[in-house]
């Protein structure tokens, strides 16, 4: 290689690096702009929740940049005194936490059974579970309502939890089974040779290795149950209604009650957002690992 060729390749390499760096910078700026655009409604809702009813009716939320004195926490003080909203927040927790834990626990056991235990019709049962993924929630509303009415759990917190658990299990089993099936067989056989039974094998080997998938499942189930309104609107009564139903009833009764709706909606939204952003890495890792099997 001559000196001239070396200089040309060095220049090309430098140009390629500059082009790659510029392209990466442009992409980062573009992604940041997309993220800011996506967060703009959330930011607008936050600003609206910190403005008085008169200011909200008079102008848009961006007016605070020229008149920051509009910002106040009075709406949140009134929100904490609204028993319908505070009770609904407690009801949301009472529905979401059990529905998430039950789906994670039952789905983990079932996913392990479908991945590593032999029993008659295992593959056919798993195909039936996969088929349940395409069943829409709306199809089951009427028959399940009749069933819950006959056994006495219609319009109760237990009924809402059971409905969410039933429709959350197919995806949970599908996700965890595919993730558990990727565990090396040699690792499980070595644990069996050491005398580990199925329960010990599941708790000591499979569960620790399946942490990302279990975490992603828990986040997904939490977000779905917390943000649900259709199921709670039908199966919950006024005493067990979650925050989504409570806000909907505020809209129906007080169409211009924005000083309650804005802070209530922001509180309802910020909790699942905080959960997702806190565990987004585990969520992405678990979903991708289970989806590519």
């Amino acid at each position: 290689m001559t000196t001239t060729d070396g200089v040309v390749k060095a220049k090309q390499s430098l140009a390629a690096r500059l082009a790659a760096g510029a392209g990466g910078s442009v992409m980062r700026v573009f992604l940041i702009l997309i993220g800011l655009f996506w967060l703009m409604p959330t930011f607008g809702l936050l600003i609206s929740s910190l403005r008085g009813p008169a200011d909200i009716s008079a102008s848009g939320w961006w007016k605070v940049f020229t008149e920051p004195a509009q910002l106040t926490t009075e709406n949140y003080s009134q929100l904490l005194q609204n028993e319908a909203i505070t009770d609904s927040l407690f009801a949301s927790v009472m529905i979401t936490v059990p529905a998430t834990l039950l789906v994670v626990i039952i789905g983990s056991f079932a996913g392990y059974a479908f991945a590593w235990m032999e029993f008659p019709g295992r593959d056919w049962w798993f195909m039936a579970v996969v088929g349940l993924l395409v069943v829409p929630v709306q199809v089951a509303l009427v028959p399940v309502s009749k069933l819950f009415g006959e056994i006495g759990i219609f319009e109760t917190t237990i009924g809402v939890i059971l409905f969410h658990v039933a429709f959350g299990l197919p995806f949970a089993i599908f996700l965890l089974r595919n993730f558990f099936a990727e565990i090396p067989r040699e690792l499980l056989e070595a644990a069996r040779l050491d005398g580990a039974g199925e329960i010990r094998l599941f708790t000591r080997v499979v569960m620790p290795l399946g942490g990302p998938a279990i975490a992603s499942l828990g986040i997904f189930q939490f977000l779905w149950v917390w943000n649900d309104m259709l199921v709670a609107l039908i199966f919950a009564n006024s005493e067990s209604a979650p925050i989504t139903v409570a806000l909907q009833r505020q809209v129906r009764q007080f169409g211009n009650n924005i000083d309650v709706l804005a802070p209530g909606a922001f509180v309802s939204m910020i909790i699942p957002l905080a959960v997702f952003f806190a565990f987004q890495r585990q969520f992405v890792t678990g979903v991708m690992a289970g989806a590519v099997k």
Side-chain angles (χ1 to χ4, degrees):
M1 179 184 297
T2 64
T3 305
T4 304
D5 294 337
V7 173
V8 171
K9 288 190 175 183
K11 290 182 178 180
Q12 290 177 347
S13 178
L14 177 60
R17 289 197 298 270
L18 291 175
S25 300
V26 171
M27 181 58 65
R28 282 194 293 270
V29 172
F30 176 75
L31 292 177
I32 291 173
L33 292 176
I34 292 296
L36 292 176
F37 181 77
W38 180 75
L39 290 174
M40 188 176 296
T42 304
F43 181 74
L45 180 62
L46 172 61
I47 298 299
S48 297
S49 68
L50 294 172
R51 302 174 72 208
D55 295 328
I56 295 175
S57 302
S59 60
W61 60 266
W62 50 88
K63 190 69 173 179
V64 298
F65 293 110
T66 57
E67 298 180 11
Q70 294 182 358
L71 297 178
T72 177
T73 59
E74 183 64 25
N75 291 342
Y76 287 93
S77 298
Q78 295 180 2
L79 183 71
L80 295 177
Q81 299 175 5
N82 191 323
E83 294 185 0
I85 300 298
T86 55
D87 291 346
S88 65
L89 281 173
F90 179 74
S92 293
V93 175
M94 295 300 296
I95 292 172
T96 305
V97 173
T100 301
L101 292 178
L102 287 174
V103 167
V104 169
I105 294 172
I106 299 174
S108 298
F109 280 109
Y112 172 76
F114 280 115
W116 293 110
M117 296 182 66
E118 297 291 340
F119 55 89
R122 183 187 67 173
D123 294 336
W124 287 107
W125 281 110
F126 182 71
M127 291 301 297
V129 171
V130 174
L132 291 175
L133 289 171
V134 302
V135 178
V137 174
Q138 294 81 357
V139 173
L141 293 178
V142 174
V144 174
S145 297
K146 294 180 179 179
L147 175 63
F148 283 2
E150 292 177 357
I151 61 179
I153 61 173
F154 186 69
E155 293 188 341
T156 63
T157 301
I158 296 178
V160 180
I161 293 173
L162 290 179
F163 192 96
H164 283 303
V165 171
F167 273 85
L169 280 176
F171 176 76
I173 296 172
F174 172 76
L175 174 67
L176 296 181
R177 181 266 180 190
N178 289 343
F179 193 93
F180 292 161
E182 294 180 356
I183 298 175
R185 181 180 294 274
E186 294 78 8
L187 184 62
L188 300 180
E189 292 178 351
R192 288 193 176 97
L193 289 176
D194 291 337
E198 295 296 339
I199 299 297
R200 188 175 181 182
L201 189 66
F202 175 76
T203 56
R204 297 293 182 88
V205 179
V206 176
M207 288 292 286
L209 293 176
I214 294 172
S216 66
L217 171 63
I219 296 168
F220 188 89
Q221 180 70 8
F222 181 91
L223 295 177
W224 178 53
V225 177
W226 183 276
N227 293 321
D228 171 74
M229 186 180 72
L230 176 63
V231 175
L233 191 63
I234 295 175
F235 291 95
N237 56 20
S238 57
E239 297 179 356
S240 60
I243 183 65
T244 51
V245 176
L247 292 175
Q248 186 270 341
R249 289 172 179 171
Q250 290 284 331
V251 173
R252 185 178 60 187
Q253 295 176 2
F254 310 103
N256 58 352
N257 198 13
I258 192 64
D259 57 323
V260 175
L261 294 175
F266 185 77
V267 171
S268 174
M269 181 175 58
I270 198 63
I271 294 176
L273 279 177
V275 171
F276 176 78
F277 283 120
F279 301 99
Q280 60 177 329
R281 181 174 299 180
Q282 291 86 346
F283 179 80
V284 175
T285 302
V287 171
M288 293 301 295
V292 298
K293 179 64 179 176

